[in-house]
Amino acid sequence: MPRKWSNPSVYYHILKLSLGSRAATQELAWIKQALSVDMPPAKDYDALLASMVRRRANGEPLAYVIGNQPFGSLSVKCRPPTLIPRPETEHWTMKLLEILHASRWHSKTHVLDICTGTGCIPLLLAKASPNGHLNAVGVDISALAINLARGNVNDVLRDGHNSVSIVKGDLFSTSFADDIYRQLSQPRAPFDVITCNPPYIPQHEYDRLSPSVRDYEDPVALLGDHAGQPSDGLSFYQRLVEILHSTSSPLGKNSILTEGGMLVVEHGDGQSQAVQEIFKTGFGRKLSRMEAWKDQWNKHRAVMAVL
């Protein structure tokens, strides 16, 4: 059983040693707020608080300790080891929303989110879109992520007419597209928008990550070097090009993205030019427009391509 401290100031001082004064004050308030909302019945408040403080002081990410992470207007449930949604991802998702709001609400928009994790991207798109105007599918290889994302769907989309389905899929499988459609009840049709926040960290950078990331979050969701490919973190962008050029599907070439459809991918700091070159070379004349998007810290963080 976690140790209990009779003096409440001990919680602050424990966190201060790990986080500093300002962060300790703020995070202790968030931990207490999370307990006040989700306190299990018949549980000892002090024991739970002591446990959560100790976990955070030992380096466990705050989102895992309190069980959720803000993402736009949403509070997304988080559980280890599924990747925690980042503010940078929220930033470009909001930019995508602005584009969709301005151009696509004359008809329903179909979105495919690859490497969906918690489901945060399709959930924010669905929640912030007019009812009946967006249908999304989130795909992940991890069973833990799929279960978590489905729980988030149930929590976030209790009302309304937009839908998000979560299915299992391996981007590097030769039957990736067929596997997705096989799990959906809707008729087979290409998507209007494909989003992807893939693993993109090279091994040499992963080895230097802080323990709070490396020791808790799934390396499969972080490492961008696929087996047998260069150690540059770019394997998933190469594979996206291959998938979108695949002729193996009954619908023919480029069958999972409609003509004139949009592809938006997140990438790591310093990878923008490389990702753009992959798309220019891979898509060739089918690439009609491409933009490099910056995050809220003025760093290139996403590439948008219209095919």
Side-chain angles (χ1 to χ4, degrees):
M1 176 174 291
R3 180 182 175 185
K4 295 163 59 176
W5 299 292
S6 57
N7 185 350
S9 67
V10 173
Y11 301 125
Y12 164 76
H13 289 292
I14 290 288
L15 289 175
K16 181 181 176 182
L17 290 173
S18 299
L19 309 174
S21 177
R22 184 175 181 180
T25 300
Q26 182 63 79
E27 294 198 13
L28 181 57
W30 285 334
I31 290 172
K32 288 181 176 180
Q33 181 182 23
L35 262 182
S36 68
V37 173
D38 297 322
M39 178 71 182
K43 292 288 184 179
D44 187 317
Y45 176 88
D46 287 334
L48 282 175
L49 180 58
S51 173
M52 293 170 77
V53 166
R54 183 65 70 187
R55 288 165 59 195
R56 183 65 186 117
N58 287 338
E60 186 172 347
L62 180 66
Y64 289 156
V65 174
I66 65 177
N68 60 73
Q69 172 77 2
F71 194 78
S73 61
L74 308 180
S75 177
V76 178
K77 284 185 177 178
C78 297
R79 286 198 299 269
T82 302
L83 189 73
I84 299 167
R86 285 355 190 228
E88 302 93 323
T89 308
E90 175 189 323
H91 189 267
W92 68 254
T93 303
M94 296 300 294
K95 183 177 179 68
L96 174 58
L97 261 173
E98 292 175 4
I99 294 173
L100 296 180
H101 275 238
S103 63
R104 288 187 174 270
W105 294 144
H106 59 282
S107 61
K108 179 170 283 191
T109 299
H110 298 275
V111 177
L112 174 66
D113 181 51
I114 301 171
C115 305
T116 200
T118 61
C120 58
I121 294 171
L123 280 171
L124 182 55
L125 294 175
K127 188 68 174 179
S129 301
N131 283 344
H133 285 262
L134 189 136
N135 172 275
V137 176
V139 184
D140 207 281
I141 194 173
S142 164
L144 292 174
I146 289 168
N147 289 337
L148 179 59
R150 286 174 175 168
N152 279 323
V153 170
N154 292 335
D155 290 341
V156 172
L157 298 180
R158 292 177 178 174
D159 302 310
H161 303 290
N162 294 326
S163 68
V164 174
S165 301
I166 305 296
V167 300
K168 187 170 186 177
D170 178 359
L171 185 64
F172 286 86
S173 168
T174 56
S175 59
F176 174 72
D178 294 326
D179 292 343
I180 292 172
Y181 286 113
R182 194 177 298 117
Q183 298 172 73
L184 300 175
S185 57
Q186 63 203 50
R188 184 168 186 146
F191 294 91
D192 303 302
V193 179
I194 294 178
T195 57
C196 184
N197 179 16
Y200 51 68
I201 301 176
Q203 182 68 56
H204 67 274
E205 291 185 15
Y206 177 83
D207 293 338
R208 298 197 302 266
L209 289 176
S210 69
S212 66
V213 176
R214 200 177 59 244
D215 294 348
Y216 291 93
E217 295 186 85
D218 190 354
V220 173
L222 295 166
L223 281 164
D225 300 328
H226 197 258
Q229 299 196 15
S231 300
D232 53 13
L234 302 173
S235 299
F236 283 77
Y237 309 103
Q238 298 279 8
R239 180 57 179 159
L240 281 169
V241 170
E242 294 172 1
I243 289 290
L244 293 177
H245 271 314
S246 173
T247 58
S248 62
S249 168
L251 287 179
K253 193 172 183 179
N254 204 28
S255 62
I256 66 169
L257 183 65
T258 190
E259 184 177 354
M262 188 186 309
L263 170 66
V264 185
V265 299
E266 182 171 321
H267 57 73
D269 187 22
Q271 292 179 327
S272 179
Q273 196 60 44
V275 172
Q276 292 180 67
E277 287 300 322
I278 289 171
F279 286 177
K280 286 177 184 177
T281 302
F283 294 130
R285 298 172 67 178
K286 288 195 68 67
L287 180 63
S288 64
R289 183 160 60 95
M290 185 163 59
E291 296 177 1
W293 291 356
K294 292 184 177 181
D295 62 23
Q296 57 269 62
W297 295 286
N298 205 35
K299 293 183 177 181
H300 285 105
R301 184 57 62 182
V303 170
M304 185 278 291
V306 177
L307 305 177

